[in-house]
Protein backbone atom coordinates (compact mmCIF):
# COMPACT_ATOMS: atom_id res chain seq x y z
CA UNK A 1 0.00 0.00 0.00
CA UNK A 2 1.25 3.47 -0.92
CA UNK A 3 1.82 6.14 1.68
CA UNK A 4 -1.21 8.27 2.38
CA UNK A 5 -2.26 10.66 -0.38
CA UNK A 6 -4.65 13.61 -0.32
CA UNK A 7 -7.16 13.28 -3.17
CA UNK A 8 -10.03 15.76 -3.31
CA UNK A 9 -13.38 14.69 -4.78
CA UNK A 10 -13.02 17.30 -7.51
CA UNK A 11 -10.17 19.33 -9.00
CA UNK A 12 -10.86 22.03 -11.59
CA UNK A 13 -8.54 22.36 -14.55
CA UNK A 14 -8.29 25.81 -16.19
CA UNK A 15 -4.86 25.70 -17.81
CA UNK A 16 -5.83 26.28 -21.44
CA UNK A 17 -6.68 29.64 -23.00
CA UNK A 18 -8.85 30.76 -20.07
CA UNK A 19 -6.55 33.58 -18.91
CA UNK A 20 -5.94 34.80 -22.43
CA UNK A 21 -9.65 35.07 -23.24
CA UNK A 22 -10.45 36.69 -19.89
CA UNK A 23 -7.74 39.25 -20.54
CA UNK A 24 -9.15 39.98 -24.00
CA UNK A 25 -12.53 40.51 -22.39
CA UNK A 26 -11.20 42.87 -19.73
CA UNK A 27 -9.26 44.86 -22.32
CA UNK A 28 -12.31 45.11 -24.56
CA UNK A 29 -14.07 47.07 -21.84
CA UNK A 30 -17.27 45.03 -22.32
CA UNK A 31 -17.91 42.76 -19.36
CA UNK A 32 -21.58 41.86 -19.61
CA UNK A 33 -23.19 39.82 -22.40
CA UNK A 34 -21.51 40.65 -25.70
CA UNK A 35 -19.09 39.38 -28.31
CA UNK A 36 -17.54 36.60 -26.18
CA UNK A 37 -20.95 35.28 -25.20
CA UNK A 38 -22.15 35.20 -28.80
CA UNK A 39 -18.98 33.45 -29.88
CA UNK A 40 -19.46 30.90 -27.10
CA UNK A 41 -23.08 30.30 -28.18
CA UNK A 42 -22.04 29.89 -31.80
CA UNK A 43 -19.19 27.48 -31.10
CA UNK A 44 -21.27 25.51 -28.62
CA UNK A 45 -24.15 25.01 -31.05
CA UNK A 46 -21.67 24.04 -33.79
CA UNK A 47 -20.22 21.42 -31.48
CA UNK A 48 -23.69 20.05 -30.68
CA UNK A 49 -24.91 20.26 -34.24
CA UNK A 50 -28.00 22.04 -32.94
CA UNK A 51 -29.53 25.12 -34.46
CA UNK A 52 -29.84 27.59 -31.58
CA UNK A 53 -27.96 28.08 -28.33
CA UNK A 54 -28.83 30.58 -25.60
CA UNK A 55 -26.17 31.15 -22.91
CA UNK A 56 -27.47 31.87 -19.42
CA UNK A 57 -26.30 32.35 -15.85
CA UNK A 58 -26.84 28.75 -14.72
CA UNK A 59 -28.12 25.34 -15.71
CA UNK A 60 -31.10 25.99 -13.48
CA UNK A 61 -31.87 29.17 -15.44
CA UNK A 62 -31.67 27.20 -18.71
CA UNK A 63 -34.18 24.65 -17.39
CA UNK A 64 -36.49 27.39 -16.13
CA UNK A 65 -36.38 29.26 -19.46
CA UNK A 66 -36.93 26.06 -21.45
CA UNK A 67 -40.03 25.16 -19.44
CA UNK A 68 -41.33 28.73 -19.61
CA UNK A 69 -40.82 28.91 -23.37
CA UNK A 70 -42.54 25.56 -23.87
CA UNK A 71 -45.56 27.01 -22.10
CA UNK A 72 -45.55 25.10 -18.82
CA UNK A 73 -47.78 26.87 -16.33
CA UNK A 74 -49.97 26.54 -13.24
CA UNK A 75 -51.59 23.14 -12.81
CA UNK A 76 -49.43 21.33 -15.37
CA UNK A 77 -47.98 17.96 -14.42
CA UNK A 78 -44.37 17.24 -15.35
CA UNK A 79 -42.51 13.93 -15.02
CA UNK A 80 -39.14 14.15 -13.23
CA UNK A 81 -36.89 11.32 -12.05
CA UNK A 82 -36.34 11.31 -8.29
CA UNK A 83 -32.58 10.66 -8.66
CA UNK A 84 -31.49 14.16 -9.57
CA UNK A 85 -30.51 17.53 -8.19
CA UNK A 86 -33.32 19.73 -6.93
CA UNK A 87 -32.93 22.11 -9.92
CA UNK A 88 -34.64 19.59 -12.20
CA UNK A 89 -37.84 19.86 -10.12
CA UNK A 90 -37.72 23.30 -8.51
CA UNK A 91 -38.07 25.07 -11.86
CA UNK A 92 -41.42 23.31 -12.33
CA UNK A 93 -42.57 24.90 -9.09
CA UNK A 94 -41.30 28.34 -10.23
CA UNK A 95 -43.95 28.10 -12.96
CA UNK A 96 -46.72 26.89 -10.65
CA UNK A 97 -46.71 23.42 -12.18
CA UNK A 98 -46.26 20.17 -10.24
CA UNK A 99 -43.57 17.49 -10.61
CA UNK A 100 -44.56 13.83 -10.75
CA UNK A 101 -41.56 11.95 -9.40
CA UNK A 102 -40.52 8.70 -11.07
CA UNK A 103 -38.26 5.85 -10.00
CA UNK A 104 -35.15 5.06 -12.05
CA UNK A 105 -33.34 1.95 -13.26
CA UNK A 106 -30.95 0.40 -10.71
CA UNK A 107 -27.64 0.07 -12.62
CA UNK A 108 -27.79 3.30 -14.62
CA UNK A 109 -29.79 5.67 -12.38
CA UNK A 110 -31.72 6.60 -15.52
CA UNK A 111 -35.36 6.97 -16.42
CA UNK A 112 -36.25 4.17 -18.88
CA UNK A 113 -38.88 3.89 -21.63
CA UNK A 114 -40.67 1.28 -19.49
CA UNK A 115 -40.88 3.49 -16.41
CA UNK A 116 -42.10 6.40 -18.52
CA UNK A 117 -44.82 4.37 -20.24
CA UNK A 118 -46.14 3.12 -16.95
CA UNK A 119 -46.16 6.69 -15.59
CA UNK A 120 -48.15 7.90 -18.61
CA UNK A 121 -50.77 5.22 -17.96
CA UNK A 122 -51.14 6.49 -14.39
CA UNK A 123 -51.01 10.19 -15.30
CA UNK A 124 -52.35 10.54 -18.84
CA UNK A 125 -52.62 14.33 -18.63
CA UNK A 126 -48.94 15.10 -18.02
CA UNK A 127 -47.46 17.77 -20.25
CA UNK A 128 -43.70 17.21 -20.32
CA UNK A 129 -40.74 15.15 -19.13
CA UNK A 130 -37.53 16.46 -17.62
CA UNK A 131 -35.09 13.75 -18.68
CA UNK A 132 -31.82 13.68 -16.72
CA UNK A 133 -28.76 12.06 -18.29
CA UNK A 134 -27.37 11.10 -14.90
CA UNK A 135 -23.61 10.96 -14.58
CA UNK A 136 -23.15 11.79 -18.26
CA UNK A 137 -24.76 8.67 -19.75
CA UNK A 138 -27.62 9.35 -22.14
CA UNK A 139 -30.99 7.82 -21.31
CA UNK A 140 -32.51 5.53 -23.95
CA UNK A 141 -33.76 8.13 -26.38
CA UNK A 142 -34.38 5.79 -29.32
CA UNK A 143 -35.24 2.13 -29.83
CA UNK A 144 -32.83 0.38 -32.16
CA UNK A 145 -30.16 2.22 -34.12
CA UNK A 146 -30.65 5.89 -34.91
CA UNK A 147 -34.01 5.71 -36.66
CA UNK A 148 -36.33 3.56 -34.56
CA UNK A 149 -38.51 6.13 -32.87
CA UNK A 150 -41.00 3.66 -31.48
CA UNK A 151 -39.32 2.06 -28.50
CA UNK A 152 -37.27 4.97 -27.20
CA UNK A 153 -38.18 7.90 -24.96
CA UNK A 154 -38.52 10.27 -27.93
CA UNK A 155 -41.10 8.04 -29.58
CA UNK A 156 -43.07 7.71 -26.36
CA UNK A 157 -43.08 11.50 -25.97
CA UNK A 158 -44.25 11.99 -29.56
CA UNK A 159 -47.06 9.44 -29.28
CA UNK A 160 -48.30 11.00 -26.05
CA UNK A 161 -47.83 14.68 -26.96
CA UNK A 162 -45.30 15.09 -24.17
CA UNK A 163 -42.65 17.80 -24.48
CA UNK A 164 -39.12 16.55 -23.87
CA UNK A 165 -36.74 18.76 -21.90
CA UNK A 166 -33.35 17.24 -21.31
CA UNK A 167 -31.40 18.08 -18.18
CA UNK A 168 -27.92 17.56 -19.61
CA UNK A 169 -26.11 19.19 -16.69
CA UNK A 170 -23.83 16.11 -16.60
CA UNK A 171 -23.83 15.35 -20.28
CA UNK A 172 -21.40 17.52 -22.19
CA UNK A 173 -19.93 16.23 -24.35
CA UNK A 174 -22.07 13.10 -24.41
CA UNK A 175 -23.54 11.18 -27.31
CA UNK A 176 -26.33 8.71 -27.87
CA UNK A 177 -25.20 6.20 -30.52
CA UNK A 178 -22.68 8.69 -31.78
CA UNK A 179 -25.04 11.67 -32.02
CA UNK A 180 -24.50 14.58 -29.63
CA UNK A 181 -26.82 15.10 -26.68
CA UNK A 182 -28.44 18.45 -27.41
CA UNK A 183 -29.82 17.41 -30.78
CA UNK A 184 -32.69 15.17 -29.60
CA UNK A 185 -35.37 16.73 -27.36
CA UNK A 186 -37.41 19.92 -27.67
CA UNK A 187 -34.81 21.69 -25.52
CA UNK A 188 -31.60 20.56 -23.86
CA UNK A 189 -30.09 22.33 -20.87
CA UNK A 190 -26.42 22.22 -19.92
CA UNK A 191 -24.72 23.45 -16.75
CA UNK A 192 -21.29 25.07 -16.47
CA UNK A 193 -21.26 25.12 -12.69
CA UNK A 194 -17.76 24.97 -11.17
CA UNK A 195 -17.61 21.18 -10.79
CA UNK A 196 -19.29 20.21 -14.07
CA UNK A 197 -17.52 18.70 -17.08
CA UNK A 198 -16.77 22.12 -18.51
CA UNK A 199 -17.22 25.27 -16.49
CA UNK A 200 -17.69 29.02 -16.71
CA UNK A 201 -17.67 29.35 -12.88
CA UNK A 202 -21.43 29.68 -12.99
CA UNK A 203 -23.34 29.32 -16.23
CA UNK A 204 -25.60 27.29 -18.44
CA UNK A 205 -26.79 26.81 -22.03
CA UNK A 206 -30.16 26.12 -23.57
CA UNK A 207 -29.98 24.39 -26.94
CA UNK A 208 -32.94 23.87 -29.27
CA UNK A 209 -33.86 23.45 -32.93
CA UNK A 210 -37.09 25.41 -32.55
CA UNK A 211 -36.78 29.07 -33.42
CA UNK A 212 -39.82 30.23 -31.46
CA UNK A 213 -38.61 28.51 -28.31
CA UNK A 214 -35.17 30.06 -28.74
CA UNK A 215 -36.55 33.56 -29.36
CA UNK A 216 -38.74 33.35 -26.25
CA UNK A 217 -35.83 32.13 -24.10
CA UNK A 218 -33.61 34.95 -25.39
CA UNK A 219 -36.17 37.60 -24.51
CA UNK A 220 -36.90 36.08 -21.09
CA UNK A 221 -33.24 35.72 -20.14
CA UNK A 222 -32.99 39.53 -20.14
CA UNK A 223 -36.01 41.08 -18.42
CA UNK A 224 -38.44 40.32 -21.23
CA UNK A 225 -36.80 43.06 -23.28
CA UNK A 226 -37.40 42.64 -26.96
CA UNK A 227 -33.88 43.60 -28.00
CA UNK A 228 -30.55 42.59 -26.55
CA UNK A 229 -28.66 45.31 -24.73
CA UNK A 230 -25.75 44.54 -27.03
CA UNK A 231 -27.92 45.18 -30.09
CA UNK A 232 -28.97 48.48 -28.63
CA UNK A 233 -25.40 49.66 -28.43
CA UNK A 234 -24.12 48.27 -31.67
CA UNK A 235 -26.90 48.74 -34.19
CA UNK A 236 -27.51 51.98 -35.98
CA UNK A 237 -30.57 54.05 -35.22
CA UNK A 238 -32.10 54.75 -31.84
CA UNK A 239 -29.90 53.02 -29.28
CA UNK A 240 -32.13 53.83 -26.33
CA UNK A 241 -35.33 52.32 -27.61
CA UNK A 242 -36.59 48.99 -26.36
CA UNK A 243 -39.84 47.40 -25.31
CA UNK A 244 -40.76 45.03 -22.48
CA UNK A 245 -43.13 42.27 -23.55
CA UNK A 246 -43.15 40.11 -20.40
CA UNK A 247 -41.83 40.16 -16.81
CA UNK A 248 -38.61 38.36 -17.73
CA UNK A 249 -35.61 37.31 -15.68
CA UNK A 250 -31.98 38.34 -15.24
CA UNK A 251 -30.35 35.21 -16.58
CA UNK A 252 -27.81 36.46 -19.14
CA UNK A 253 -24.23 35.17 -19.19
CA UNK A 254 -21.50 37.80 -18.72
CA UNK A 255 -18.61 37.86 -21.21
CA UNK A 256 -16.02 37.09 -18.51
CA UNK A 257 -17.79 33.76 -17.90
CA UNK A 258 -18.16 33.10 -21.63
CA UNK A 259 -14.41 33.71 -22.04
CA UNK A 260 -13.72 30.85 -19.63
CA UNK A 261 -16.31 28.74 -21.44
CA UNK A 262 -14.65 29.26 -24.83
CA UNK A 263 -11.34 27.99 -23.48
CA UNK A 264 -13.02 25.03 -21.78
CA UNK A 265 -14.96 24.16 -24.92
CA UNK A 266 -11.72 23.89 -26.92
CA UNK A 267 -10.60 21.06 -24.67
CA UNK A 268 -13.90 19.40 -23.83
CA UNK A 269 -13.11 16.22 -25.78
CA UNK A 270 -9.67 15.92 -24.26
CA UNK A 271 -11.05 16.37 -20.75
CA UNK A 272 -13.76 13.76 -21.45
CA UNK A 273 -11.16 11.30 -22.68
CA UNK A 274 -9.16 11.72 -19.48
CA UNK A 275 -12.29 11.04 -17.41
CA UNK A 276 -12.92 7.94 -19.49
CA UNK A 277 -9.40 6.81 -18.60
CA UNK A 278 -10.36 7.10 -14.90
CA UNK A 279 -13.60 5.16 -15.48
CA UNK A 280 -11.77 2.38 -17.29
CA UNK A 281 -9.27 2.18 -14.44
CA UNK A 282 -12.08 1.77 -11.91
CA UNK A 283 -13.88 -0.89 -13.97
CA UNK A 284 -10.71 -2.89 -14.37
CA UNK A 285 -9.53 -2.61 -10.78
CA UNK A 286 -12.82 -2.84 -8.88
CA UNK A 287 -14.63 -5.54 -10.84
CA UNK A 288 -13.69 -8.25 -8.36
CA UNK A 289 -14.90 -6.41 -5.26
CA UNK A 290 -18.15 -8.28 -4.70
CA UNK A 291 -19.61 -5.92 -2.08
CA UNK A 292 -19.95 -3.08 -4.61
CA UNK A 293 -21.96 -2.75 -7.80
CA UNK A 294 -20.23 -0.77 -10.53
CA UNK A 295 -22.21 1.56 -12.82
CA UNK A 296 -23.86 -0.06 -15.85
CA UNK A 297 -22.85 1.33 -19.22
CA UNK A 298 -25.63 0.67 -21.73
CA UNK A 299 -23.92 1.83 -24.90
CA UNK A 300 -20.36 2.77 -25.79
CA UNK A 301 -17.84 4.03 -23.19
CA UNK A 302 -16.85 6.76 -25.65
CA UNK A 303 -20.39 8.22 -25.82
CA UNK A 304 -20.45 8.74 -22.04
CA UNK A 305 -19.43 12.17 -20.66
CA UNK A 306 -18.15 10.52 -17.45
CA UNK A 307 -19.16 13.35 -15.13
CA UNK A 308 -19.73 10.85 -12.30
CA UNK A 309 -18.43 7.45 -11.38
CA UNK A 310 -20.89 6.20 -8.77
CA UNK A 311 -20.57 2.81 -7.13
CA UNK A 312 -23.22 1.23 -4.91
CA UNK A 313 -22.36 -0.71 -1.75
CA UNK A 314 -24.65 -3.72 -2.07
CA UNK A 315 -26.20 -6.13 0.44
CA UNK A 316 -22.89 -8.04 0.71
CA UNK A 317 -21.11 -4.99 2.13
CA UNK A 318 -20.47 -5.19 5.87
CA UNK A 319 -20.18 -1.40 5.99
CA UNK A 320 -22.92 1.16 5.69
CA UNK A 321 -22.38 3.91 3.12
CA UNK A 322 -21.79 6.71 5.63
CA UNK A 323 -19.11 4.69 7.44
CA UNK A 324 -17.44 3.89 4.11
CA UNK A 325 -17.37 7.61 3.27
CA UNK A 326 -15.77 8.35 6.67
CA UNK A 327 -13.10 5.69 6.22
CA UNK A 328 -12.32 6.96 2.72
CA UNK A 329 -11.94 10.47 4.18
CA UNK A 330 -9.52 9.07 6.77
CA UNK A 331 -7.47 7.77 3.87
CA UNK A 332 -7.47 11.31 2.44
CA UNK A 333 -9.94 10.51 -0.35
CA UNK A 334 -12.85 12.84 -1.02
CA UNK A 335 -16.12 11.27 -2.19
CA UNK A 336 -19.66 12.49 -2.79
CA UNK A 337 -23.20 11.09 -2.96
CA UNK A 338 -25.46 11.27 -6.03
CA UNK A 339 -28.16 11.54 -4.99
CA UNK A 340 -30.20 11.77 -1.90
CA UNK A 341 -33.38 11.32 -3.97
CA UNK A 342 -35.86 14.17 -4.19
CA UNK A 343 -38.68 12.09 -2.71
CA UNK A 344 -36.68 12.16 0.54
CA UNK A 345 -36.32 15.96 0.58
CA UNK A 346 -38.64 17.64 3.09
CA UNK A 347 -40.27 20.06 0.66
CA UNK A 348 -41.21 17.52 -2.00
CA UNK A 349 -41.96 14.73 0.47
CA UNK A 350 -44.38 16.84 2.48
CA UNK A 351 -45.99 18.72 -0.37
CA UNK A 352 -46.66 15.60 -2.46
CA UNK A 353 -46.96 13.01 0.33
CA UNK A 354 -44.17 10.88 -1.16
CA UNK A 355 -43.25 7.48 0.29
CA UNK A 356 -39.90 5.69 -0.09
CA UNK A 357 -41.59 2.38 -0.95
CA UNK A 358 -42.84 3.91 -4.20
CA UNK A 359 -39.24 4.33 -5.38
CA UNK A 360 -37.61 0.93 -4.74
CA UNK A 361 -34.69 1.24 -7.16
CA UNK A 362 -33.83 4.79 -6.11
CA UNK A 363 -33.95 3.65 -2.47
CA UNK A 364 -31.58 0.78 -3.20
CA UNK A 365 -29.17 3.16 -4.95
CA UNK A 366 -29.47 5.79 -2.23
CA UNK A 367 -28.66 3.33 0.57
CA UNK A 368 -25.28 2.47 -0.93
CA UNK A 369 -24.24 5.08 -3.47
CA UNK A 370 -20.83 6.76 -3.36
CA UNK A 371 -19.30 8.84 -6.14
CA UNK A 372 -15.56 8.42 -6.60
CA UNK A 373 -13.16 11.13 -7.81
CA UNK A 374 -13.11 11.35 -11.63
CA UNK A 375 -11.31 14.22 -13.32
CA UNK A 376 -8.56 14.79 -15.89
CA UNK A 377 -5.74 15.52 -13.44
CA UNK A 378 -6.39 12.34 -11.44
CA UNK A 379 -3.25 10.29 -12.08
CA UNK A 380 -3.02 6.53 -12.40
CA UNK A 381 -1.04 6.39 -9.15
CA UNK A 382 -3.86 8.18 -7.38
CA UNK A 383 -6.44 5.87 -8.98
CA UNK A 384 -4.47 2.88 -7.79
CA UNK A 385 -4.39 4.31 -4.26
CA UNK A 386 -8.18 4.85 -4.35
CA UNK A 387 -8.83 1.29 -5.54
CA UNK A 388 -6.41 -0.21 -2.97
CA UNK A 389 -8.10 1.83 -0.23
CA UNK A 390 -11.57 0.65 -1.26
CA UNK A 391 -10.46 -2.98 -1.24
CA UNK A 392 -8.82 -2.56 2.16
CA UNK A 393 -11.82 -0.79 3.70
CA UNK A 394 -14.32 -3.34 2.39
CA UNK A 395 -12.19 -6.42 3.10
C1 LIG B 1 -25.74 21.00 -11.56
C2 LIG B 1 -27.06 20.50 -11.96
C3 LIG B 1 -28.10 21.36 -12.34
C4 LIG B 1 -28.06 22.84 -12.18
O1 LIG B 1 -27.01 23.49 -12.74
P1 LIG B 1 -26.54 24.90 -12.15
O2 LIG B 1 -25.66 25.42 -13.23
O3 LIG B 1 -25.82 24.64 -10.87
O4 LIG B 1 -27.76 25.73 -11.96
C5 LIG B 1 -29.28 20.81 -12.82
N1 LIG B 1 -29.45 19.49 -12.88
C6 LIG B 1 -28.50 18.62 -12.49
C7 LIG B 1 -28.75 17.15 -12.62
C8 LIG B 1 -27.28 19.10 -12.00
O5 LIG B 1 -26.34 18.24 -11.59
Amino acid sequence: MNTKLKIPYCRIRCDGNELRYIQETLESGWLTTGAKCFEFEKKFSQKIGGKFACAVSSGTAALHLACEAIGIGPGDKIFVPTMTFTSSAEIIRYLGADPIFLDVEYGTCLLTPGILEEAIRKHPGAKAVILVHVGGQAAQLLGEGLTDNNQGIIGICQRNALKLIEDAAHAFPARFRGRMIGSFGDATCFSFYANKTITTGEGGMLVTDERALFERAKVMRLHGISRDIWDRYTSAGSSWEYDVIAPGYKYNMPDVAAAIGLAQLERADLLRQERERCARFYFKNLKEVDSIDLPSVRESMADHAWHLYSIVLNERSRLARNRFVELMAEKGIGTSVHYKPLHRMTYYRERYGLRPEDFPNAERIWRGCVSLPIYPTLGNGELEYICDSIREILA
Side-chain angles (χ1 to χ4, degrees):
M1 176 71 70
N2 298 313
T3 50
K4 187 170 158 178
L5 301 179
K6 181 92 192 105
I7 305 174
Y9 173 65
C10 180
R11 229 170 1 215
I12 315 300
R13 186 170 166 187
C14 280
D15 53 354
N17 284 319
E18 284 85 351
L19 267 181
R20 213 182 104 208
Y21 297 159
I22 289 172
Q23 186 166 3
E24 285 172 11
T25 306
L26 297 179
E27 286 170 355
S28 80
W30 189 277
L31 300 195
T32 185
T33 307
K36 277 278 184 286
C37 183
F38 300 143
E39 189 186 343
F40 185 40
E41 289 175 332
K42 194 169 143 214
K43 294 205 162 132
F44 195 87
S45 66
Q46 278 167 354
K47 170 84 186 155
I48 297 286
K51 282 208 186 87
F52 306 109
C54 175
V56 288
S57 52
S58 71
T60 310
L63 286 164
H64 183 197
L65 289 178
C67 288
E68 198 277 340
I70 272 170
I72 289 167
D76 287 338
K77 306 246 177 285
I78 315 296
F79 294 124
V80 193
T82 186
M83 268 298 179
T84 185
F85 186 58
T86 187
S87 290
S88 316
E90 74 188 37
I91 49 108
I92 297 165
R93 297 295 304 132
Y94 293 0
L95 296 163
D98 292 300
I100 295 172
F101 293 99
L102 304 182
D103 202 8
V104 295
E105 180 181 53
Y106 178 69
T108 60
C109 248
L110 295 171
L111 197 60
T112 63
I115 294 169
L116 183 58
E117 283 195 297
E118 193 192 317
I120 293 168
R121 277 195 292 277
K122 279 196 207 148
H123 307 273
K127 187 155 179 179
V129 192
I130 311 279
L131 182 65
V132 188
H133 302 301
V134 182
Q137 172 166 227
Q140 205 196 321
L141 289 158
L142 301 170
E144 299 294 318
L146 271 176
T147 48
D148 174 7
N149 257 352
N150 281 324
Q151 307 306 314
I153 287 171
I154 289 181
I156 296 170
C157 288
Q158 284 169 353
R159 280 199 301 281
N160 294 280
L162 277 175
K163 292 287 187 184
L164 178 59
I165 297 137
E166 292 172 66
D167 179 340
H170 302 176
F172 183 82
R175 294 164 195 275
F176 182 74
R177 300 193 188 139
R179 188 172 134 197
M180 287 295 289
I181 290 302
S183 59
F184 289 92
D186 292 288
T188 306
C189 303
F190 296 91
S191 166
F192 309 129
Y193 181 65
N195 68 5
K196 296 284 158 72
T197 56
I198 70 165
T199 185
T200 59
E202 297 278 359
M205 190 78 80
L206 186 167
V207 177
T208 181
D209 280 347
E210 293 170 45
R211 179 178 293 277
L213 202 159
F214 170 69
E215 298 289 352
R216 176 71 181 180
K218 276 226 326 191
V219 166
M220 294 306 278
R221 88 171 161 186
L222 201 68
H223 305 295
I225 289 174
S226 69
R227 262 171 91 185
D228 268 35
I229 291 211
W230 169 260
D231 285 347
R232 279 201 277 135
Y233 285 93
T234 54
S235 59
S238 49
S239 63
W240 59 269
E241 196 173 358
Y242 66 91
D243 193 14
V244 173
I245 59 166
Y249 311 102
K250 186 65 168 69
Y251 280 168
N252 56 309
M253 175 184 278
D255 265 16
V256 182
I260 301 172
L262 277 166
Q264 293 266 301
L265 186 59
E266 289 170 352
R267 301 206 303 172
D269 289 319
L270 183 93
L271 302 178
R272 193 211 64 79
Q273 219 175 318
E274 290 296 315
R275 292 189 302 272
E276 184 183 328
R277 168 182 57 81
C278 301
R280 286 184 185 277
F281 196 103
Y282 285 136
F283 277 120
K284 184 158 173 248
N285 288 275
L286 295 175
K287 67 174 187 288
E288 266 130 43
V289 184
D290 72 347
S291 52
I292 58 180
D293 293 336
L294 303 182
S296 306
V297 180
R298 286 272 172 266
E299 310 261 338
S300 121
M301 294 279 287
D303 280 354
H304 200 308
W306 293 113
H307 173 54
L308 301 178
Y309 192 93
S310 300
I311 61 172
V312 180
L313 303 191
N314 60 32
E315 44 302 326
R316 287 182 294 276
S317 168
R318 55 178 189 85
L319 286 182
R321 188 264 316 285
N322 292 1
R323 184 65 189 139
F324 176 82
V325 166
E326 277 170 21
L327 291 172
M328 289 289 277
E330 280 175 24
K331 297 255 181 210
I333 302 167
T335 56
S336 189
V337 168
H338 298 91
Y339 284 97
K340 178 178 172 183
L342 295 183
H343 69 258
R344 281 185 165 262
M345 299 295 186
T346 302
Y347 172 74
Y348 300 113
R349 190 189 66 233
E350 288 183 351
R351 181 177 169 94
Y352 298 105
L354 305 172
R355 300 173 314 165
E357 54 270 35
D358 291 330
F359 306 90
N361 296 338
E363 281 292 307
R364 198 174 148 214
I365 297 166
W366 153 243
R367 264 195 302 278
C369 64
V370 182
S371 299
L372 303 178
I374 180 164
Y375 43 85
T377 56
L378 193 61
N380 287 345
E382 291 175 306
L383 285 161
E384 202 174 311
Y385 175 75
I386 295 169
C387 292
D388 287 347
S389 301
I390 291 173
R391 272 194 298 269
E392 192 187 302
I393 289 169
L394 290 175

